[in-house]
Amino acid sequence: MKLSVYGKGGIGKSTTSCNISVALAKRGKKVLQIGCDPKHDSTFTLTGFLIPTIIDTLQEKDYHYEDIWPEDVIYKGYGGVDCVEAGGPPAGAGCGGYVVGETVKLLKELNAFDEYDVILFDVLGDVVCGGFAAPLNYSDYCMIVTDNGFDALFAANRIAASVREKARTHPLRLAGLIGNRTSKRDLIDKYIESVPMPVLEILPLIEDIRVSRVKGKTIFEMAETDPSLLPVCQYYLNIADQVLAAPEGVVPKDAADRELFALLSDF
Ligand code: ADP
Ligand code: MG
């Protein structure tokens, strides 16, 4: 199964992705997380350091794919989760979609792409240009991280529109929204009334989650020494279980940008 996690910048995609990956591994799955953000910090809380990116490695080897070994680009993270960082094109040049394409091509050459029970793409998604929509080409499900605010829901709607477009030609479904860093959900509920889709989980703002990122650990790793964090792990296990149950998901309905402005604003 292939999953893509999208959402507005800074909304908590990487934090959520790493913890979902560990949750899936705890359920006995062989998991690979692929960071597709040029920031290349997606898998940081799994490995505890910034691993070399695929693009750096390809450049170093002059794009000789045959000189690259799995251990050059696939790093073992917490809970047995394998980690890859696609990396980015040079700032202001190139295309993120090309980078994702090269990453998948290399993993296929290494016979690694079909070796996993779950591959999770952690993708930046404020603006879903064709390039950043690339992971959707390989995905069974997309999940969108959002808070209860206008900007993240506006971004979510644009991502939903990309899912709808890709679903015309790919077996892709939107698994649903993950509410993050919010205890309120009134705007989320307003949005899904207009564009029906499941809400997989709503995670409040939790100081320990913020701290976990600073410590370079997942909340699961921190819970090993602090059992009071086990209820926090439960949020991610719940998301993992829903995905593993192969939900039907949805092909999202269209909501025009202007319609959404009217829906989510008070003026
Ligand atoms: P993204 O990958 O979407 O850019 P990150 O996962 O890097 O976002 O998260 C941005 C910041 O928000 C990090 O410092 C992270 O620790 C924090 N964060 C994410 N989710 C939560 C949460 N539920 N509670 C508190 N802090 C969170
Ligand atoms: Mg990130």
Side-chain angles (χ1 to χ4, degrees):
M1 176 187 289
K2 312 272 192 301
L3 308 171
S4 288
V5 176
Y6 278 82
K8 179 184 170 306
I11 200 69
K13 293 177 296 294
S14 299
T15 309
T16 307
S17 295
C18 290
N19 284 294
I20 293 175
S21 287
V22 174
L24 290 163
K26 295 264 177 211
R27 294 303 193 226
K29 301 297 169 194
K30 188 168 163 53
V31 184
L32 172 68
Q33 180 167 322
I34 304 180
C36 303
D37 188 328
K39 244 188 332 165
H40 65 88
D41 64 343
S42 166
T43 57
F44 171 67
T45 53
L46 291 166
T47 58
F49 70 106
L50 291 173
I51 65 175
T53 70
I54 296 259
I55 291 301
D56 289 346
T57 308
L58 278 171
Q59 273 171 354
E60 205 177 286
K61 309 262 178 169
D62 238 356
Y63 286 81
H64 286 290
Y65 285 78
E66 67 281 6
D67 292 344
I68 299 174
W69 299 94
E71 55 270 31
D72 293 329
V73 289
I74 304 174
Y75 287 76
K76 197 53 91 187
Y78 177 77
V81 175
D82 279 349
C83 301
V84 162
E85 290 287 346
C95 169
Y98 163 79
V99 172
V100 172
E102 288 300 298
T103 298
V104 170
K105 186 170 141 197
L106 177 63
L107 290 173
K108 282 187 172 162
E109 300 231 347
L110 296 174
N111 289 322
F113 197 66
D114 298 311
E115 194 197 301
Y116 292 91
D117 299 317
V118 182
I119 295 185
L120 186 154
F121 295 92
D122 171 16
V123 197
L124 77 173
D126 250 326
V127 186
V128 187
C129 73
F132 288 116
L136 295 177
N137 295 336
Y138 310 103
S139 299
D140 303 293
Y141 294 110
C142 172
M143 298 187 275
I144 306 176
V145 183
T146 182
D147 59 19
N148 190 48
F150 178 85
D151 296 309
L153 282 165
F154 196 69
N157 188 55
R158 314 241 341 172
I159 297 157
S162 308
V163 172
R164 183 165 41 77
E165 284 311 303
K166 286 280 180 199
R168 290 181 204 279
T169 47
H170 295 78
L172 168 71
R173 291 288 178 273
L174 180 61
L177 297 176
I178 298 170
N180 190 43
R181 262 186 342 218
T182 180
S183 44
K184 291 213 260 173
R185 55 177 291 171
D186 54 308
L187 280 190
I188 293 176
D189 285 335
K190 240 182 179 181
Y191 175 63
I192 63 169
E193 245 174 61
S194 161
V195 185
M197 61 181 69
V199 175
L200 300 173
E201 190 54 273
I202 304 266
L203 281 99
L205 191 148
I206 297 172
E207 177 61 10
D208 290 305
I209 296 183
R210 191 192 63 77
V211 169
S212 73
R213 193 91 182 130
V214 178
K215 291 200 165 165
K217 290 181 176 170
T218 58
I219 209 75
F220 286 88
E221 189 171 0
M222 282 174 62
E224 280 182 6
T225 49
D226 182 357
S228 75
L229 295 177
L230 289 172
V232 184
C233 299
Q234 201 53 48
Y235 288 111
Y236 300 111
L237 287 164
N238 179 30
I239 298 169
D241 288 340
Q242 289 181 70
V243 169
L244 290 176
E248 205 172 313
V250 294
V251 174
K253 213 187 101 193
D254 188 21
D257 285 354
R258 281 189 184 75
E259 212 181 288
L260 201 66
F261 257 104
L263 181 75
L264 299 178
S265 352
D266 268 338
F267 50 89

